[in-house]
Amino acid sequence: MRILTGLILTGLTASGAAHAQIAPYGVDPHRYQVERHQARMESLRLQADARADTARRLDTETRLTLRELEARRQSPTPYVEYASPPVEPAVTAERHRRTREAVTQIDDWLARTPD
């Protein structure tokens, strides 16, 4: 009976939203108002439950997606710095000379006077 009353009230409120909120003839106005409030509270409760269910579902989907992404992620290859093999002193001296030339060219360019 309560569900039927709620359905009737929902139909009345949906179809007569522009009408004054007056109880139908022969119905106790206070009881009518109480049933309307109960029906509205029930619909709000159902909406809140639906939103909570959606939030839980989205949270679960997010966690699963994160787990899948982490599982697919490849671990980075560790960088291992290898020591260069010992070279002859003449080769090392030549490399240092070339490096000094390159550095002094940059220093000369930076120290130039503006035109």
Side-chain angles (χ1 to χ4, degrees):
M1 179 65 187
R2 197 170 185 175
I3 295 173
L4 182 60
T5 306
L7 291 174
I8 292 171
L9 291 178
T10 306
L12 289 175
T13 57
S15 65
H19 296 100
Q21 297 178 0
I22 300 173
Y25 182 75
V27 175
D28 179 23
H30 300 293
R31 180 72 183 154
Y32 177 74
Q33 187 177 15
V34 167
E35 288 180 358
R36 286 190 64 225
H37 285 299
Q38 288 174 345
R40 181 65 181 150
M41 291 302 293
E42 183 64 25
S43 71
L44 290 174
R45 194 174 297 117
L46 291 173
Q47 288 176 2
D49 291 344
R51 280 194 293 275
D53 290 342
T54 302
R56 276 193 296 275
R57 182 179 52 82
L58 292 176
D59 185 48
T60 303
E61 288 177 4
T62 301
R63 288 181 184 173
L64 288 174
T65 302
L66 286 175
R67 285 184 184 169
E68 289 173 3
L69 289 174
E70 289 173 358
R72 278 192 253 157
R73 183 181 299 158
Q74 296 176 354
S75 60
T77 56
Y79 176 73
V80 179
E81 186 174 337
Y82 294 102
S84 58
V87 291
E88 298 177 18
V91 175
T92 305
E94 176 63 24
R95 187 170 39 119
H96 287 298
R97 186 187 61 74
R98 280 184 302 192
T99 303
R100 269 195 310 275
E101 286 176 4
V103 170
T104 55
Q105 288 174 357
I106 293 171
D107 289 339
D108 293 342
W109 184 83
L110 290 173
R112 75 186 189 287
T113 57
D115 292 333

